[in-house]
Amino acid sequence: MKIANDTGPVSSRERFLEAIVQSAIDYAIISMDLDGLVTSWNEGAFNILGWKAEDMIGKPATIFFTQEDRESGIPQKEMTAALNRGRGSDERWHLRADGTMFWASGEMMALYASDEKIIGFIKILRDRTQERERAERERLLMHELGHRMKNTLSVVQAIVTQSLRNAVSLDDAAEKLQLRIAAYAKAHDILLQKDWVSATLADVVEATKMNIGLDGSTRILSNGPDVQLGPQAALSFSMVFHELLTNASKYGALSNAQGRVEVKWNIERRDDVEILVACWRETGGPPIPSAEPDRKGFGSRLIVSSLQAFGEANISYRPEGLTLLAELPLSKIQVQSDLSTIDTSPP
């Protein structure tokens, strides 16, 4: 970059150029002499870095570099690149006057007088923190999306394999597959409406009832406090309630005209740990043997294994009806999505 090199009064052209530089408030435009001392500091530099011009003129421009970069000679390397190649580009963390850090992209260029003599450097800097955070979120979003797709495909594969393995006919397999995958898809819908952050336990219960045509049924009673579930727990509870309601409709309390299902949950504190205690209880259905069945189907295994990933879960086969009791630490079922804890802060 060239500048005029006269020692007379400031020309109108110089005033015009100065006005342009001072108007570029989104860019820090800083000139330095050959020793790296600040010779000019525009309004954009004050807006971005926080130091006033009068505080910076004559001071080393290295002040807004991090200590690690100063110790490794980054400012000097930029000036050397500007001298040898015409410019030195960088993207790195920089310091503000208040000690906070921001991500910036910058260009260091040699400053020439009208006689082609190098008289210093000019540094143009822009705050790119938001763009960096956005790019980081997009990168993690794609990683999370890939992870979820793999998990979803694994679950669907297990549903297909086990449903076919335990089916008595192709029609039976088709029905089970359709209902189970629909229940899983409905759970995803609930989470998508909540930006994949959480869903309430009550939401999951109501969605499951609706999915198999039992919404509005007075024979299914549910009651409990507002409990937020993390994404994985919400999916697990959706599959569990689907299996329980399906079994209750075919063989249990909802297979006759008198039976009822009661779903209750509460929060208990045990040794300073909050525990979700959830109970599914069927009454009034056909009597069932008190002993556990010798062979459990995929549905029964899914119910227990899905919840045991978060805590304790047990099924009891009582004469009056099936009972499921789950005791799950809140800290495990309320784990949020990875995207809600993205750390894009400086090192």
Short mmCIF file of all heavy atoms in Angstrom, two decimals, residues 19-70:
data_model
loop_
_atom_site.label_atom_id
_atom_site.label_comp_id
_atom_site.label_asym_id
_atom_site.label_seq_id
_atom_site.Cartn_x
_atom_site.Cartn_y
_atom_site.Cartn_z
N ALA A 19 -10.92 9.96 5.97
CA ALA A 19 -12.36 9.82 6.22
C ALA A 19 -12.83 8.40 5.88
O ALA A 19 -13.65 7.82 6.60
CB ALA A 19 -13.14 10.85 5.40
N ILE A 20 -12.29 7.84 4.79
CA ILE A 20 -12.66 6.47 4.42
C ILE A 20 -12.22 5.49 5.51
O ILE A 20 -12.99 4.61 5.93
CB ILE A 20 -12.02 6.10 3.07
CG1 ILE A 20 -12.64 6.92 1.94
CG2 ILE A 20 -12.17 4.60 2.80
CD1 ILE A 20 -12.00 6.69 0.59
N VAL A 21 -10.99 5.63 5.96
CA VAL A 21 -10.46 4.73 6.99
C VAL A 21 -11.28 4.82 8.27
O VAL A 21 -11.64 3.80 8.89
CB VAL A 21 -8.97 5.04 7.26
CG1 VAL A 21 -8.49 4.28 8.50
CG2 VAL A 21 -8.12 4.66 6.06
N GLN A 22 -11.61 6.04 8.69
CA GLN A 22 -12.36 6.21 9.93
C GLN A 22 -13.81 5.74 9.80
O GLN A 22 -14.45 5.38 10.79
CB GLN A 22 -12.32 7.67 10.38
CG GLN A 22 -10.95 8.16 10.82
CD GLN A 22 -10.40 7.37 12.00
OE1 GLN A 22 -11.15 6.83 12.82
NE2 GLN A 22 -9.07 7.28 12.08
N SER A 23 -14.32 5.73 8.57
CA SER A 23 -15.70 5.29 8.36
C SER A 23 -15.83 3.77 8.34
O SER A 23 -16.93 3.23 8.46
CB SER A 23 -16.23 5.86 7.03
OG SER A 23 -16.27 7.26 7.07
N ALA A 24 -14.72 3.07 8.19
CA ALA A 24 -14.76 1.60 8.14
C ALA A 24 -14.83 1.05 9.56
O ALA A 24 -13.87 0.44 10.06
CB ALA A 24 -13.53 1.09 7.40
N ILE A 25 -15.97 1.26 10.22
CA ILE A 25 -16.07 0.93 11.65
C ILE A 25 -16.17 -0.56 11.92
O ILE A 25 -16.04 -1.00 13.06
CB ILE A 25 -17.27 1.66 12.28
CG1 ILE A 25 -18.58 1.27 11.57
CG2 ILE A 25 -17.07 3.18 12.24
CD1 ILE A 25 -19.81 1.87 12.20
N ASP A 26 -16.41 -1.37 10.89
CA ASP A 26 -16.45 -2.83 11.09
C ASP A 26 -15.06 -3.46 10.94
O ASP A 26 -14.92 -4.67 11.15
CB ASP A 26 -17.40 -3.48 10.09
CG ASP A 26 -18.86 -3.13 10.36
OD1 ASP A 26 -19.18 -2.87 11.53
OD2 ASP A 26 -19.65 -3.10 9.40
N TYR A 27 -14.09 -2.66 10.59
CA TYR A 27 -12.73 -3.16 10.40
C TYR A 27 -11.77 -2.37 11.28
O TYR A 27 -11.85 -1.14 11.36
CB TYR A 27 -12.28 -3.00 8.94
CG TYR A 27 -13.05 -3.86 7.97
CD1 TYR A 27 -14.27 -3.43 7.45
CD2 TYR A 27 -12.55 -5.09 7.55
CE1 TYR A 27 -14.97 -4.20 6.55
CE2 TYR A 27 -13.25 -5.88 6.65
CZ TYR A 27 -14.47 -5.43 6.16
OH TYR A 27 -15.17 -6.20 5.27
N ALA A 28 -10.87 -3.09 11.92
CA ALA A 28 -9.77 -2.41 12.62
C ALA A 28 -8.66 -2.18 11.60
O ALA A 28 -8.12 -3.13 11.04
CB ALA A 28 -9.27 -3.28 13.77
N ILE A 29 -8.35 -0.91 11.35
CA ILE A 29 -7.29 -0.55 10.41
C ILE A 29 -6.21 0.16 11.21
O ILE A 29 -6.42 1.26 11.73
CB ILE A 29 -7.82 0.34 9.27
CG1 ILE A 29 -8.97 -0.38 8.54
CG2 ILE A 29 -6.70 0.68 8.29
CD1 ILE A 29 -9.62 0.45 7.45
N ILE A 30 -5.06 -0.47 11.31
CA ILE A 30 -3.99 0.00 12.19
C ILE A 30 -2.70 0.10 11.38
O ILE A 30 -2.31 -0.86 10.70
CB ILE A 30 -3.79 -0.99 13.37
CG1 ILE A 30 -5.10 -1.22 14.11
CG2 ILE A 30 -2.69 -0.51 14.30
CD1 ILE A 30 -5.15 -2.50 14.91
N SER A 31 -2.05 1.26 11.45
CA SER A 31 -0.75 1.39 10.79
C SER A 31 0.35 1.37 11.85
O SER A 31 0.13 1.78 13.00
CB SER A 31 -0.67 2.68 9.97
OG SER A 31 -0.77 3.82 10.79
N MET A 32 1.52 0.87 11.46
CA MET A 32 2.66 0.74 12.36
C MET A 32 3.93 1.17 11.65
O MET A 32 4.00 1.10 10.42
CB MET A 32 2.81 -0.73 12.82
CG MET A 32 1.66 -1.26 13.67
SD MET A 32 1.60 -3.07 13.59
CE MET A 32 0.64 -3.29 12.09
N ASP A 33 4.89 1.58 12.44
CA ASP A 33 6.19 1.86 11.84
C ASP A 33 6.97 0.56 11.71
O ASP A 33 6.46 -0.53 12.03
CB ASP A 33 6.94 2.93 12.65
CG ASP A 33 7.24 2.48 14.08
OD1 ASP A 33 7.20 1.26 14.36
OD2 ASP A 33 7.51 3.35 14.92
N LEU A 34 8.21 0.66 11.26
CA LEU A 34 9.00 -0.55 11.04
C LEU A 34 9.33 -1.30 12.32
O LEU A 34 9.71 -2.47 12.28
CB LEU A 34 10.29 -0.19 10.29
CG LEU A 34 10.09 0.28 8.85
CD1 LEU A 34 11.42 0.77 8.26
CD2 LEU A 34 9.52 -0.84 7.99
N ASP A 35 9.21 -0.63 13.47
CA ASP A 35 9.44 -1.29 14.75
C ASP A 35 8.17 -1.91 15.32
O ASP A 35 8.18 -2.47 16.42
CB ASP A 35 10.01 -0.29 15.75
CG ASP A 35 11.39 0.19 15.36
OD1 ASP A 35 12.18 -0.64 14.85
OD2 ASP A 35 11.68 1.40 15.54
N GLY A 36 7.06 -1.80 14.60
CA GLY A 36 5.81 -2.37 15.06
C GLY A 36 5.05 -1.50 16.04
O GLY A 36 4.12 -1.98 16.70
N LEU A 37 5.41 -0.19 16.13
CA LEU A 37 4.70 0.73 17.02
C LEU A 37 3.54 1.37 16.26
O LEU A 37 3.67 1.73 15.08
CB LEU A 37 5.65 1.80 17.55
CG LEU A 37 6.87 1.30 18.32
CD1 LEU A 37 7.73 2.47 18.77
CD2 LEU A 37 6.45 0.43 19.50
N VAL A 38 2.42 1.53 16.92
CA VAL A 38 1.21 2.03 16.28
C VAL A 38 1.38 3.50 15.89
O VAL A 38 1.81 4.33 16.70
CB VAL A 38 -0.01 1.87 17.22
CG1 VAL A 38 -1.24 2.53 16.62
CG2 VAL A 38 -0.26 0.39 17.51
N THR A 39 1.03 3.80 14.63
CA THR A 39 1.08 5.19 14.16
C THR A 39 -0.30 5.74 13.85
O THR A 39 -0.48 6.97 13.82
CB THR A 39 1.97 5.30 12.91
OG1 THR A 39 1.49 4.39 11.90
CG2 THR A 39 3.41 4.96 13.24
N SER A 40 -1.28 4.86 13.62
CA SER A 40 -2.67 5.30 13.46
C SER A 40 -3.60 4.19 13.91
O SER A 40 -3.26 3.00 13.82
CB SER A 40 -2.96 5.71 12.01
OG SER A 40 -2.98 4.58 11.16
N TRP A 41 -4.78 4.59 14.34
CA TRP A 41 -5.73 3.65 14.98
C TRP A 41 -7.13 4.17 14.65
O TRP A 41 -7.56 5.18 15.17
CB TRP A 41 -5.47 3.66 16.47
CG TRP A 41 -6.19 2.65 17.32
CD1 TRP A 41 -7.39 2.81 17.93
CD2 TRP A 41 -5.73 1.35 17.69
NE1 TRP A 41 -7.72 1.70 18.65
CE2 TRP A 41 -6.71 0.77 18.53
CE3 TRP A 41 -4.57 0.62 17.40
CZ2 TRP A 41 -6.57 -0.48 19.09
CZ3 TRP A 41 -4.44 -0.65 17.95
CH2 TRP A 41 -5.43 -1.20 18.78
N ASN A 42 -7.85 3.47 13.78
CA ASN A 42 -9.14 4.02 13.34
C ASN A 42 -10.27 3.69 14.32
O ASN A 42 -10.08 2.97 15.32
CB ASN A 42 -9.49 3.53 11.93
CG ASN A 42 -10.03 2.10 11.92
OD1 ASN A 42 -9.67 1.28 12.76
ND2 ASN A 42 -10.89 1.82 10.96
N GLU A 43 -11.47 4.21 14.01
CA GLU A 43 -12.63 4.00 14.88
C GLU A 43 -13.00 2.52 14.96
O GLU A 43 -13.45 2.02 15.98
CB GLU A 43 -13.82 4.81 14.36
CG GLU A 43 -15.02 4.84 15.28
CD GLU A 43 -14.77 5.59 16.58
OE1 GLU A 43 -13.79 6.38 16.63
OE2 GLU A 43 -15.54 5.41 17.54
N GLY A 44 -12.82 1.80 13.85
CA GLY A 44 -13.11 0.37 13.85
C GLY A 44 -12.22 -0.39 14.82
O GLY A 44 -12.65 -1.35 15.46
N ALA A 45 -10.94 0.04 14.94
CA ALA A 45 -10.03 -0.60 15.89
C ALA A 45 -10.52 -0.40 17.32
O ALA A 45 -10.45 -1.32 18.15
CB ALA A 45 -8.62 -0.05 15.73
N PHE A 46 -11.04 0.81 17.60
CA PHE A 46 -11.59 1.07 18.93
C PHE A 46 -12.83 0.20 19.18
O PHE A 46 -12.99 -0.39 20.25
CB PHE A 46 -11.96 2.55 19.08
CG PHE A 46 -12.77 2.85 20.30
CD1 PHE A 46 -12.24 2.69 21.57
CD2 PHE A 46 -14.09 3.27 20.19
CE1 PHE A 46 -13.00 2.95 22.71
CE2 PHE A 46 -14.85 3.54 21.31
CZ PHE A 46 -14.31 3.37 22.58
N ASN A 47 -13.71 0.09 18.17
CA ASN A 47 -14.93 -0.71 18.33
C ASN A 47 -14.62 -2.18 18.56
O ASN A 47 -15.28 -2.85 19.36
CB ASN A 47 -15.82 -0.57 17.08
CG ASN A 47 -16.41 0.81 16.93
OD1 ASN A 47 -16.52 1.56 17.91
ND2 ASN A 47 -16.79 1.17 15.71
N ILE A 48 -13.65 -2.71 17.86
CA ILE A 48 -13.35 -4.13 17.94
C ILE A 48 -12.43 -4.47 19.11
O ILE A 48 -12.68 -5.43 19.85
CB ILE A 48 -12.71 -4.61 16.61
CG1 ILE A 48 -13.73 -4.51 15.48
CG2 ILE A 48 -12.20 -6.06 16.75
CD1 ILE A 48 -13.15 -4.81 14.10
N LEU A 49 -11.40 -3.66 19.31
CA LEU A 49 -10.38 -3.99 20.30
C LEU A 49 -10.57 -3.30 21.65
O LEU A 49 -10.11 -3.80 22.67
CB LEU A 49 -9.00 -3.65 19.74
CG LEU A 49 -8.58 -4.51 18.55
CD1 LEU A 49 -7.49 -3.83 17.75
CD2 LEU A 49 -8.12 -5.88 19.01
N GLY A 50 -11.21 -2.15 21.64
CA GLY A 50 -11.53 -1.50 22.91
C GLY A 50 -10.58 -0.41 23.36
O GLY A 50 -10.92 0.37 24.24
N TRP A 51 -9.38 -0.35 22.77
CA TRP A 51 -8.44 0.71 23.14
C TRP A 51 -8.73 1.97 22.32
O TRP A 51 -9.04 1.88 21.12
CB TRP A 51 -6.99 0.28 22.88
CG TRP A 51 -6.45 -0.70 23.86
CD1 TRP A 51 -5.97 -0.46 25.11
CD2 TRP A 51 -6.28 -2.11 23.65
NE1 TRP A 51 -5.52 -1.61 25.71
CE2 TRP A 51 -5.70 -2.66 24.83
CE3 TRP A 51 -6.56 -2.98 22.60
CZ2 TRP A 51 -5.40 -4.00 24.98
CZ3 TRP A 51 -6.27 -4.32 22.74
CH2 TRP A 51 -5.69 -4.82 23.92
N LYS A 52 -8.60 3.11 22.93
CA LYS A 52 -8.73 4.37 22.20
C LYS A 52 -7.43 4.68 21.46
O LYS A 52 -6.36 4.20 21.83
CB LYS A 52 -9.06 5.51 23.16
CG LYS A 52 -10.41 5.37 23.84
CD LYS A 52 -10.68 6.55 24.77
CE LYS A 52 -12.03 6.40 25.44
NZ LYS A 52 -12.31 7.53 26.38
N ALA A 53 -7.55 5.51 20.43
CA ALA A 53 -6.38 5.85 19.61
C ALA A 53 -5.28 6.49 20.45
O ALA A 53 -4.10 6.15 20.32
CB ALA A 53 -6.79 6.76 18.45
N GLU A 54 -5.68 7.42 21.34
CA GLU A 54 -4.67 8.11 22.14
C GLU A 54 -3.94 7.18 23.10
O GLU A 54 -2.83 7.48 23.55
CB GLU A 54 -5.30 9.28 22.91
CG GLU A 54 -6.48 8.89 23.79
CD GLU A 54 -7.81 9.10 23.11
OE1 GLU A 54 -7.87 8.95 21.86
OE2 GLU A 54 -8.79 9.41 23.80
N ASP A 55 -4.58 6.04 23.42
CA ASP A 55 -3.92 5.08 24.31
C ASP A 55 -2.98 4.16 23.56
O ASP A 55 -2.13 3.50 24.18
CB ASP A 55 -4.97 4.24 25.03
CG ASP A 55 -5.86 5.07 25.94
OD1 ASP A 55 -5.35 6.06 26.49
OD2 ASP A 55 -7.05 4.73 26.09
N MET A 56 -3.13 4.10 22.22
CA MET A 56 -2.36 3.12 21.46
C MET A 56 -1.25 3.73 20.60
O MET A 56 -0.29 3.03 20.25
CB MET A 56 -3.30 2.32 20.55
CG MET A 56 -4.15 1.32 21.32
SD MET A 56 -3.16 0.09 22.22
CE MET A 56 -2.24 -0.66 20.89
N ILE A 57 -1.38 4.99 20.21
CA ILE A 57 -0.35 5.59 19.36
C ILE A 57 1.00 5.52 20.07
O ILE A 57 1.14 5.94 21.22
CB ILE A 57 -0.70 7.05 19.02
CG1 ILE A 57 -2.04 7.12 18.31
CG2 ILE A 57 0.40 7.68 18.17
CD1 ILE A 57 -2.11 6.40 17.00
N GLY A 58 1.99 4.98 19.39
CA GLY A 58 3.33 4.84 19.95
C GLY A 58 3.53 3.57 20.75
O GLY A 58 4.66 3.29 21.19
N LYS A 59 2.46 2.76 20.93
CA LYS A 59 2.57 1.51 21.68
C LYS A 59 2.76 0.34 20.72
O LYS A 59 2.35 0.40 19.56
CB LYS A 59 1.31 1.28 22.52
CG LYS A 59 1.00 2.36 23.53
CD LYS A 59 1.99 2.30 24.67
CE LYS A 59 1.67 3.38 25.71
NZ LYS A 59 0.35 3.22 26.34
N PRO A 60 3.36 -0.76 21.19
CA PRO A 60 3.54 -1.93 20.32
C PRO A 60 2.19 -2.54 19.92
O PRO A 60 1.30 -2.71 20.77
CB PRO A 60 4.34 -2.91 21.18
CG PRO A 60 4.97 -2.06 22.25
CD PRO A 60 4.00 -0.95 22.50
N ALA A 61 2.02 -2.86 18.66
CA ALA A 61 0.77 -3.47 18.18
C ALA A 61 0.62 -4.91 18.67
O ALA A 61 -0.44 -5.50 18.52
CB ALA A 61 0.71 -3.42 16.66
N THR A 62 1.66 -5.45 19.24
CA THR A 62 1.59 -6.83 19.74
C THR A 62 0.66 -6.95 20.94
O THR A 62 0.36 -8.07 21.36
CB THR A 62 2.99 -7.32 20.15
OG1 THR A 62 3.54 -6.39 21.11
CG2 THR A 62 3.91 -7.39 18.94
N ILE A 63 0.19 -5.84 21.48
CA ILE A 63 -0.62 -5.87 22.70
C ILE A 63 -1.91 -6.67 22.52
O ILE A 63 -2.41 -7.26 23.47
CB ILE A 63 -0.93 -4.43 23.18
CG1 ILE A 63 -1.53 -4.46 24.59
CG2 ILE A 63 -1.86 -3.71 22.21
CD1 ILE A 63 -1.66 -3.07 25.21
N PHE A 64 -2.45 -6.69 21.29
CA PHE A 64 -3.71 -7.41 21.10
C PHE A 64 -3.50 -8.85 20.62
O PHE A 64 -4.45 -9.54 20.29
CB PHE A 64 -4.66 -6.66 20.16
CG PHE A 64 -4.07 -6.24 18.85
CD1 PHE A 64 -3.95 -7.13 17.79
CD2 PHE A 64 -3.66 -4.92 18.66
CE1 PHE A 64 -3.42 -6.74 16.58
CE2 PHE A 64 -3.13 -4.52 17.44
CZ PHE A 64 -3.01 -5.43 16.40
N PHE A 65 -2.26 -9.30 20.58
CA PHE A 65 -1.98 -10.71 20.35
C PHE A 65 -1.97 -11.45 21.68
O PHE A 65 -1.64 -10.87 22.73
CB PHE A 65 -0.62 -10.89 19.66
CG PHE A 65 -0.64 -10.57 18.20
CD1 PHE A 65 -0.56 -9.25 17.76
CD2 PHE A 65 -0.73 -11.57 17.25
CE1 PHE A 65 -0.57 -8.94 16.41
CE2 PHE A 65 -0.73 -11.27 15.90
CZ PHE A 65 -0.66 -9.95 15.47
N THR A 66 -2.32 -12.74 21.67
CA THR A 66 -2.29 -13.52 22.90
C THR A 66 -0.84 -13.71 23.36
O THR A 66 0.11 -13.58 22.55
CB THR A 66 -2.94 -14.90 22.71
OG1 THR A 66 -2.15 -15.66 21.79
CG2 THR A 66 -4.36 -14.77 22.19
N GLN A 67 -0.68 -14.02 24.62
CA GLN A 67 0.67 -14.22 25.14
C GLN A 67 1.38 -15.36 24.41
O GLN A 67 2.58 -15.26 24.11
CB GLN A 67 0.61 -14.52 26.64
CG GLN A 67 1.99 -14.71 27.28
CD GLN A 67 1.90 -14.96 28.78
OE1 GLN A 67 0.86 -14.79 29.39
NE2 GLN A 67 3.02 -15.35 29.37
N GLU A 68 0.65 -16.43 24.11
CA GLU A 68 1.25 -17.57 23.43
C GLU A 68 1.75 -17.15 22.04
O GLU A 68 2.85 -17.57 21.62
CB GLU A 68 0.23 -18.70 23.29
CG GLU A 68 -0.18 -19.37 24.59
CD GLU A 68 -1.21 -18.57 25.37
OE1 GLU A 68 -1.72 -17.55 24.85
OE2 GLU A 68 -1.50 -18.96 26.51
N ASP A 69 0.96 -16.32 21.35
CA ASP A 69 1.38 -15.89 20.01
C ASP A 69 2.58 -14.94 20.09
O ASP A 69 3.46 -14.97 19.23
CB ASP A 69 0.22 -15.22 19.29
CG ASP A 69 -0.80 -16.23 18.79
OD1 ASP A 69 -0.49 -17.43 18.80
OD2 ASP A 69 -1.90 -15.81 18.39
N ARG A 70 2.58 -14.09 21.12
CA ARG A 70 3.73 -13.19 21.27
C ARG A 70 4.99 -13.97 21.55
O ARG A 70 6.06 -13.68 21.00
CB ARG A 70 3.45 -12.17 22.39
CG ARG A 70 2.38 -11.15 22.06
CD ARG A 70 2.44 -9.97 23.02
NE ARG A 70 2.18 -10.35 24.40
CZ ARG A 70 0.98 -10.33 24.97
NH1 ARG A 70 -0.09 -9.95 24.25
NH2 ARG A 70 0.82 -10.67 26.23
#
